[in-house]
């Protein structure tokens, strides 16, 4: 039979520090002695009496067995090893005597001892504040889970029902009045507790961080989480990786259900946000100390994924104790050239059992943190929540009390299930000034701090808050990070570490995925023409906004310049000058014809048609000015229609002149019936009908879909072309086609009449002028369609000027020569003589 020595009393003192978020007063915790006849003793208890008790399940004790002789001879396993890395694990003096067992030693995770002290401190703080609970004293009773499910079930039942003496049919010892339990640290411990507490509807406030979906805690109304849902951390991790552009990372997760849930939730988020996992490694869950061969094997397996990988960033997930073991193993595994025995030699150094006279404030910070940790803060808040819920039950003005129809409940006679409405509706500010309340899922409605652990050469460290993840922040940012406060480890020389598979693609380049590789494996290629990338690692280049264009390096956009053919630029000045010059020349010719209107040369060439022709040519030259300058609604509405109507009039005048010559010649033949067509009516009818037909086409065009000012932002790189959108393209080409038809008819008739007698005939000049006219406009069509911007406008202006000038020069130059330079030829006798 194994006998257990009586446990030593544990003294713990916490002193107030000015940098602590909550002042910690000094107090003493006495261990309760268990009855000698307990068949399965639980040696570690912390108790403080009170009218109402708050139960607690801590996680700081691990058992270790030592043997008289090598146990492999009888039991088939190696000697156990006690790891003391940075003094985080120390031994206590609970010894067991047996045939082959030399002693039974417990190992204390000193980091978690603060959890017990935080609960005790919070209870004492509540008891000292008479405004919260009057005439009621809180006490506590704390057991340890020993990182074991069976022990958790036993300690939970002991908290609820165990007395120090057992006498049938009698109540002996202290009276159990546990109103709520706080615990546990890990998900499996919390869920083991919930299996029992949910049966009795006893409130359970767990302070560990895990995903409640693993156990469907919504179905357990007595389960409260003192930290936000762990799933909120996942997007925080993604934001953090994206912020530092760490796209090639390693994933290490504990090999249990919680690790499965973590990987299932995180890996899709990583892929969705452009982050790849270089490897995924599962870590054995630790709930005990390891034997030497196990430790050596685990050290190598932990270190192995880090070899030959470009990843420099690792996301590690596991229970707190597992993470502590992992940090120890990773530090030891760095000695990859040493043999396993050397690793073991570095581990085996324990100072022996505690004396009971140790002082916590004398321990280094790596062993025991004086600053309140996150877990301790959650425990502190849990005690405050319970106290405020009791206060609400005792207050007639409480909203939850009103929902219970103002029923009075004596706290001494409290039934634990009556506390739930007050817990669910709790809302107050703690002594640190932070709001404390539960959301609809009975989780703390707060976020997570991003901490930077700064280590120092003397193995001490300090936690520095550098950011926050607050998914429920509706007004501010959900992710904040202060890079200036981050202290990188010394090997990085205060330079941001790089954790990518492929080098970053600079602005102006885009990523090209490598076949058969993960999407984080890529090469870089320049952006296609017309596209840019203004950041690193752009997956696909993109186009600039319509009013901008890519710069030379294709890493940014420049503002486009609005372009149009203006009067101020040389080309605009030249065209405007030519147009005005020819219009003046045409006016001069018209004035000359008017002045010499009674001369034979003017009368013989159909004086009225000549006047109309010259006026239309004059207007043609001036209409070209409508195409210069920035387009407006008026100029766009008028320029094409005015040009087409005026030009149609000019061409119809040419046609009328030619037909008049033919009719006049045919009328001179004896017995000809063409005499009735002689006179001005035929010519005027031709000009008027052709002009009206073109005017009708323009009226339909302007009525259906008139031209309007528009901006072409795509045709010319770096420019926004201010132009007139022609509206209906069909009507535009119909109008041009009508002018082309008139030109072809005029050319054909003039060509057929070229051999008539010279005294009546100007068909040769008309034929040449129309040939030049048609050549200009046939060249215009392909040139107009192949140019953009101001060049297109210049082509149309040039075509108008060239064709108009050709008509003016070919038809009226011979007449002006005879009128002005050879007036002796401008006589009837001379014309008749030439005819004879």
């Amino acid at each position: 039979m194994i006998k257990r020595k009586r446990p030593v009393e544990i003294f713990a003192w916490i002193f107030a520090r000015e940098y602590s978020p909550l002042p910690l007063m000094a107090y003493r915790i006495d261990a309760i002695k268990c009855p000698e006849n307990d068949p399965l003793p639980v040696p570690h208890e912390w108790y403080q009496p009170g009218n109402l008790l708050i139960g607690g399940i801590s996680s700081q004790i691990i058992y270790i067995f030592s043997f008289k002789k090598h146990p492999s001879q009888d039991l088939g396993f190696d000697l156990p090893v006690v790891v003391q890395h940075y003094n985080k694990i120390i031994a206590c003096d609970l010894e067991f005597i047996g045939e082959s067992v030399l002693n039974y030693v417990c190992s204390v995770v000193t980091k978690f001892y603060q959890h017990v002290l935080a609960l005790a401190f919070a209870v004492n703080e509540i008891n000292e504040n008479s405004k919260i609970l009057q005439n009621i004293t809180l006490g506590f009773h704390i057991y340890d889970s020993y990182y074991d499910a069976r022990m958790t079930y036993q300690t939970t039942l002991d908290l609820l029902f165990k007395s120090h003496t057992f006498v049938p049919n009698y109540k002996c010892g202290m009276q159990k009045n546990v109103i709520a339990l706080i615990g546990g640290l890990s998900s499996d411990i919390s869920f083991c507790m919930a299996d029992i507490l949910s049966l009795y509807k006893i409130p359970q406030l767990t302070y560990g961080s895990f995903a409640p979906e693993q156990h469907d805690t919504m179905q357990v109304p007595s389960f409260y989480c003192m930290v936000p849902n762990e799933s909120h951390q996942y997007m925080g991790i993604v934001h953090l990786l994206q912020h530092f552009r760490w796209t090639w990372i390693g994933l290490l997760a504990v090999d249990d259900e919680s690790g499965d849930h973590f990987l299932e939730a995180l890996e899709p988020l990583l892929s969705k946000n452009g982050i790849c996992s270089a490897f995924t490694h599962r870590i054995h869950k630790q709930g005990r100390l390891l034997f030497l061969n196990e430790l050596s094997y685990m050290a190598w397996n932990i270190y192995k994924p880090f070899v030959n990988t470009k990843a420099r960033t690792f996301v590690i997930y596991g229970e707190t104790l597992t993470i502590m073991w992992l940090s120890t193993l990773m530090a030891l595994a760095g000695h990859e050239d040493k043999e396993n025995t050397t690793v073991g030699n570095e581990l085996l150094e324990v100072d022996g059992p505690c004396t009971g006279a140790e002082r916590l404030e004398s321990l280094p910070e790596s062993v025991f943190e004086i600053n309140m940790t996150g877990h301790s803060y959650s425990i502190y808040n849990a005690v405050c929540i319970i106290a405020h819920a009791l206060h609400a039950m005792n207050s007639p003005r409480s909203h939850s009390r009103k929902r219970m129809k103002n029923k009075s409940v004596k706290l001494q006679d409290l039934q634990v299930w009556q506390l739930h409405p007050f817990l669910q509706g709790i809302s107050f500010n703690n002594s640190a000034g932070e709001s404390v309340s539960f959301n609809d899922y009975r989780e703390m409605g707060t976020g997570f701090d991003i901490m930077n652990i700064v280590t120092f050469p003397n193995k001490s460290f300090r936690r520095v808050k550098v950011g926050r993840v607050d998914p429920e922040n509706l007004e501010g940012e959900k992710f904040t990070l202060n890079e200036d406060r981050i202290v990188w480890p010394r090997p990085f020389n205060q330079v941001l570490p790089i954790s990518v598979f492929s080098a970053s693609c600079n602005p102006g380049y885009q990523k090209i995925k490598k076949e058969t590789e993960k999407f984080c494996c890529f090469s870089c290629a320049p952006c296609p023409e017309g596209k840019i990338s203004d950041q690193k690692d752009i997956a696909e280049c993109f186009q600039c906004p319509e009013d901008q264009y890519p710069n030379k390096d294709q890493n940014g956009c420049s503002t486009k310049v609005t372009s149009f053919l203006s009067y101020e630029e040389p080309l605009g000045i030249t065209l405007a000058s030519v147009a005005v010059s020819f219009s003046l020349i045409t006016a001069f010719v018209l004035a000359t014809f008017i002045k010499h209107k009674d001369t034979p040369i003017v009368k013989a060439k159909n004086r009225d048609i000549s006047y109309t022709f010259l006026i239309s040519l004059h207007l043609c030259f001036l209409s070209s000015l409508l195409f210069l300058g920035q387009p407006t609604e008026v100029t766009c509405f008028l320029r094409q229609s005015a040009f087409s109507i005026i030009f149609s009039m000019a061409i119809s005048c040419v046609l009328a002149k030619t037909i008049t010559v033919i009719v006049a010649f045919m009328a001179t033949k004896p017995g000809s019936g063409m005499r009735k067509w002689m006179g001005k009516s035929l010519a005027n009818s031709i000009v008027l009908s052709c002009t009206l037909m073109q005017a009708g086409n323009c009226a339909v065009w302007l009525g259906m879909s008139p031209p309007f000012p528009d901006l072409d932002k795509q045709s010319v790189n770096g420019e926004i072309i201010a132009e007139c959108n022609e509206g209906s393209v069909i009507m535009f080409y119909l109008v041009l086609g009508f002018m082309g038809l008139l030109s072809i008819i005029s050319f054909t008739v003039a060509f057929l009449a070229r051999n008539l007698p010279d005294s009546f005939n100007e068909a040769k000049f008309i034929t040449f002028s129309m040939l030049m006219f048609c050549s200009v406009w046939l060249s215009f069509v392909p040139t107009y369609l192949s140019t953009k911007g101001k060049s297109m406008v210049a082509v149309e202006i040039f075509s108008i000027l060239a064709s108009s000038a050709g008509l003016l020069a070919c038809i009226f130059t011979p007449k002006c020569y005879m009128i002005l330079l050879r007036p002796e030829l401008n006589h009837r006798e001379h014309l008749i003589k030439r005819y004879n």
Side-chain angles (χ1 to χ4, degrees):
M1 180 177 178
I2 300 176
K3 294 185 178 180
R4 176 183 54 81
K5 294 184 64 177
R6 294 167 61 183
V8 299
E9 292 187 339
I10 301 175
F11 294 88
W13 299 89
I14 294 185
F15 296 90
R17 300 295 179 95
E18 60 181 3
Y19 51 81
S20 178
L22 296 169
L24 303 181
M25 303 298 291
Y27 55 86
R28 171 176 175 172
I29 306 172
D30 296 328
I32 300 175
K33 301 176 182 179
C34 301
E36 294 294 333
N37 60 351
D38 193 335
L40 185 59
V42 178
H44 300 92
E45 300 177 49
W46 295 266
Y47 174 74
Q48 178 173 299
N51 301 115
L52 301 174
L53 291 182
I54 297 177
I57 299 293
S58 64
S59 299
Q60 61 168 325
I61 309 298
I62 302 176
Y63 283 122
I64 307 170
F65 295 88
S66 297
F67 302 88
K68 292 180 179 179
K69 57 183 178 180
H70 201 287
S72 59
Q73 299 176 8
D74 299 327
L75 304 176
F77 53 85
D78 293 334
L79 283 172
V81 179
V82 180
V83 177
Q84 184 185 16
H85 180 60
Y86 296 146
N87 292 326
K88 286 184 179 177
I89 309 296
I90 62 175
C92 292
D93 63 341
L94 297 176
E95 298 182 358
F96 282 71
I97 307 298
E99 181 178 353
S100 61
V101 180
L102 177 60
N103 55 20
Y104 178 137
V105 182
C106 74
S107 177
V108 179
V109 184
T110 55
K111 175 184 176 64
F112 300 154
Y113 185 49
Q114 191 188 100
H115 302 169
V116 176
L117 303 180
L119 193 153
F121 166 73
V123 168
N124 289 339
E125 185 182 69
I126 295 297
N127 289 336
E128 293 172 1
N129 189 348
S130 60
K131 295 182 180 180
I132 299 179
L133 295 178
Q134 297 180 355
N135 303 321
I136 294 293
T137 302
L138 290 181
F140 59 81
H141 196 176
I142 306 173
Y143 280 80
D144 202 278
S145 68
Y146 304 100
Y147 291 93
D148 182 79
R150 293 175 301 174
M151 293 299 294
T152 301
Y153 282 126
Q154 179 187 335
T155 53
T156 303
L157 290 171
D158 286 351
L159 269 174
L160 301 179
F161 306 112
K162 180 181 175 182
S163 179
H164 283 266
T165 58
F166 178 72
V167 180
N169 298 323
Y170 285 89
K171 292 183 178 180
C172 301
M174 64 178 183
Q175 297 297 316
K176 289 284 185 176
N177 198 6
V178 178
I179 58 171
L181 265 74
I182 298 176
L185 176 62
S186 62
S187 59
D188 52 354
I189 294 173
S190 298
F191 298 151
C192 288
M193 295 172 59
D195 290 340
I196 297 175
L197 299 178
S198 61
L199 299 176
Y200 302 98
K201 299 183 181 180
I202 299 175
Q204 176 188 357
L205 291 80
T206 179
Y207 59 91
S209 176
F210 51 88
E213 293 88 349
Q214 298 170 248
H215 198 264
D216 195 11
T217 56
M218 285 303 296
Q219 304 300 321
V220 184
S222 60
F223 195 92
Y224 300 85
C225 296
M226 291 307 302
V227 293
N229 193 316
E230 186 182 89
S231 59
H232 296 323
Q233 296 187 67
Y234 304 155
M235 279 309 301
I237 293 173
V238 171
H239 287 317
L240 189 65
L241 296 174
Q242 285 183 321
H243 180 85
F244 292 117
R245 299 183 182 275
W246 291 332
T247 58
W248 190 250
I249 66 170
L251 293 177
L252 295 92
V254 66
D255 192 7
D256 64 0
E257 184 181 354
S258 64
D260 295 337
H261 179 85
F262 171 77
L263 293 176
E264 290 173 1
L266 184 63
E267 287 184 322
L269 287 176
L270 295 177
S271 299
K272 184 179 178 181
N273 290 275
I275 302 170
C276 296
S277 56
F279 62 85
T280 300
H281 188 73
R282 305 306 295 268
I283 311 166
H284 291 295
K285 187 174 181 179
Q286 299 305 314
R288 61 180 178 85
L289 296 181
L290 299 176
F291 298 110
L292 178 60
N293 62 339
E294 293 178 307
L295 185 63
S296 301
Y297 176 77
M298 177 175 283
W300 168 245
N301 275 276
I302 292 297
Y303 182 70
K304 186 165 54 175
F306 296 87
V307 180
N308 299 325
T309 179
K310 292 185 178 180
R312 295 294 179 267
T313 301
F314 308 96
V315 178
I316 305 175
Y317 176 86
E319 305 289 357
T320 306
L321 184 62
T322 303
I323 298 298
M324 290 177 59
W325 279 107
L326 182 61
S327 63
T328 302
L329 292 173
M330 291 179 67
L332 296 172
H335 306 284
E336 56 178 318
D337 296 329
K338 297 184 179 181
E339 298 182 357
N340 291 343
T341 55
T342 307
V343 175
N345 291 334
E346 292 184 1
L347 302 177
L348 270 136
E349 295 180 4
V350 181
D351 296 335
C354 302
T355 64
E358 289 81 7
R359 297 179 62 84
L360 293 179
E361 67 271 18
S362 64
L363 296 175
E365 194 171 2
S366 59
V367 176
F368 186 85
E369 297 182 57
I370 298 298
N371 284 334
M372 181 171 281
T373 64
H375 288 144
S376 299
Y377 184 61
S378 296
I379 294 171
Y380 172 85
N381 281 335
V383 175
C384 294
I385 286 175
I386 296 170
H388 281 78
L390 294 171
H391 173 76
M393 290 187 69
N394 213 22
S395 173
R397 293 178 295 179
S398 169
H399 293 290
S400 299
R401 176 81 172 268
K402 292 178 181 179
R403 287 199 298 268
M404 295 180 64
K405 299 181 179 179
N406 210 27
K407 293 181 180 179
S408 177
V409 179
K410 292 184 178 181
L411 297 183
Q412 292 85 346
D413 301 328
L414 171 68
Q415 299 295 320
V416 290
W417 58 266
Q418 295 175 311
L419 196 60
H420 289 295
F422 300 92
L423 289 173
Q424 294 170 6
I426 201 71
S427 179
F428 65 93
N429 290 336
N430 61 18
S431 58
E434 294 188 0
S435 177
V436 179
S437 62
F438 289 113
N439 60 20
D440 294 338
Y441 301 97
R442 298 188 301 277
E443 302 165 348
M444 277 288 105
T446 58
F448 294 91
D449 291 336
I450 302 175
M451 307 300 294
N452 177 208
I453 299 180
V454 183
T455 58
F456 301 98
N458 62 354
K459 298 181 180 180
S460 62
F461 68 91
R462 175 164 298 179
R463 301 174 188 268
V464 179
K465 179 180 176 181
V466 296
R468 184 168 177 80
V469 178
D470 197 352
E472 297 187 4
N473 188 355
L474 301 178
E475 298 180 357
E477 296 183 7
K478 299 182 184 299
F479 174 85
T480 56
L481 187 68
N482 187 353
E483 287 192 57
D484 295 335
R485 302 195 65 187
I486 297 178
V487 178
W488 299 106
R490 287 190 303 277
F492 293 116
N493 296 320
Q494 289 305 309
V495 177
L496 175 67
I498 299 175
S499 188
V500 296
F501 182 87
S502 304
S504 296
C505 293
N506 292 323
Y509 291 81
Q510 64 181 2
K511 297 192 295 186
I512 304 297
K513 185 182 181 301
K514 294 183 178 180
E515 296 295 333
T516 71
E517 299 283 351
K518 290 189 175 183
F519 62 86
C520 292
C521 308
F522 56 85
S523 57
C524 301
C527 289
E529 185 178 357
K531 294 186 176 182
I532 69 153
S533 62
D534 55 358
Q535 296 179 2
K536 288 186 175 181
D537 295 333
I538 292 294
E540 184 177 1
C541 297
F542 55 91
Q543 292 182 336
C544 291
E546 288 189 343
D547 58 346
Q548 298 179 355
Y549 69 98
N551 58 18
K552 181 180 179 182
D553 297 326
Q554 292 182 279
N555 58 6
C557 295
S558 301
T559 303
K560 290 182 178 180
V561 178
T562 302
S563 173
F564 57 90
L565 187 58
S566 68
Y567 292 99
E568 289 79 13
E569 59 183 294
L571 180 60
I573 294 174
T574 301
L575 293 175
S577 300
V578 172
V580 172
S581 300
F582 276 110
S583 67
L584 293 176
I585 293 173
T586 305
F588 173 75
V589 173
L590 177 61
T592 301
F593 265 59
I594 293 175
K595 182 179 180 181
H596 300 86
K597 62 181 179 179
D598 295 326
T599 60
I601 193 67
V602 175
K603 294 171 67 176
K605 305 306 180 183
N606 198 332
R607 180 172 54 191
D608 294 337
I609 295 298
S610 296
Y611 293 163
T612 304
F613 189 25
L614 288 172
I615 292 173
S616 63
L617 287 178
H618 178 73
L619 294 177
C620 281
F621 289 122
L622 294 179
S623 69
S624 64
L625 298 178
L626 293 173
F627 292 82
L628 293 172
Q630 186 169 2
T632 64
E633 291 186 3
V634 174
T635 56
C636 288
F637 188 84
L638 291 178
R639 67 183 191 180
Q640 293 290 4
S641 56
F643 155 70
S644 60
I645 294 173
I646 295 170
F647 236 63
S648 296
M649 181 185 294
I651 300 171
S652 63
C653 288
V654 174
L655 179 61
K657 278 176 155 299
T658 307
I659 292 177
T660 300
V661 171
I662 294 175
V663 171
F665 178 77
M666 295 178 65
T668 59
K669 294 181 180 181
S672 173
M674 299 299 295
R675 290 181 176 272
K676 62 180 180 180
W677 297 102
M678 291 293 292
K680 300 179 180 179
S681 59
L682 176 62
N684 293 338
S685 298
I686 293 173
V687 173
L688 184 61
S689 61
C690 293
T691 304
L692 289 177
M693 289 177 63
Q694 186 68 303
N697 292 334
C698 292
V700 174
W701 180 14
L702 297 178
M704 289 177 53
S705 179
F708 57 90
D710 196 10
L711 296 176
D712 182 2
K713 301 178 180 180
Q714 304 297 333
S715 299
V716 180
N717 186 33
E719 294 183 2
I720 298 176
I721 301 173
E723 62 180 7
C724 286
N725 189 310
E726 305 304 346
S728 174
V729 178
I730 295 177
M731 293 303 301
F732 172 68
Y733 285 107
L734 178 63
V735 168
L736 290 181
F738 183 80
M739 289 190 296
L741 178 63
L742 287 180
S743 302
I744 293 173
I745 294 174
S746 298
F747 171 74
T748 303
V749 173
F751 179 78
L752 295 176
R754 70 188 184 281
N755 293 323
L756 294 178
D758 289 341
S759 59
F760 295 98
N761 192 12
E762 55 181 345
K764 290 183 179 179
F765 301 112
I766 293 176
T767 301
F768 184 74
S769 66
M770 293 309 300
L771 179 63
M772 187 175 67
F773 181 91
C774 292
S775 300
V776 169
W777 286 103
L778 287 175
S779 302
F780 161 78
V781 174
T783 307
Y784 183 83
L785 295 176
S786 61
T787 56
K788 295 292 181 182
K790 61 177 67 178
S791 299
M792 183 175 65
V793 177
V795 167
E796 187 166 3
I797 295 175
F798 175 79
S799 300
I800 294 172
L801 295 178
S803 58
S804 301
L807 292 175
L808 178 66
C810 293
I811 295 176
F812 290 98
T813 298
K815 299 178 179 63
C816 291
Y817 173 77
M818 293 179 65
I819 294 173
L820 298 177
L821 299 180
R822 300 292 299 274
E824 68 276 8
L825 301 178
N826 190 10
H827 293 283
R828 178 179 176 83
E829 294 79 9
H830 176 72
L831 295 177
I832 294 175
K833 182 180 179 181
R834 288 182 60 190
Y835 175 72
N836 292 332

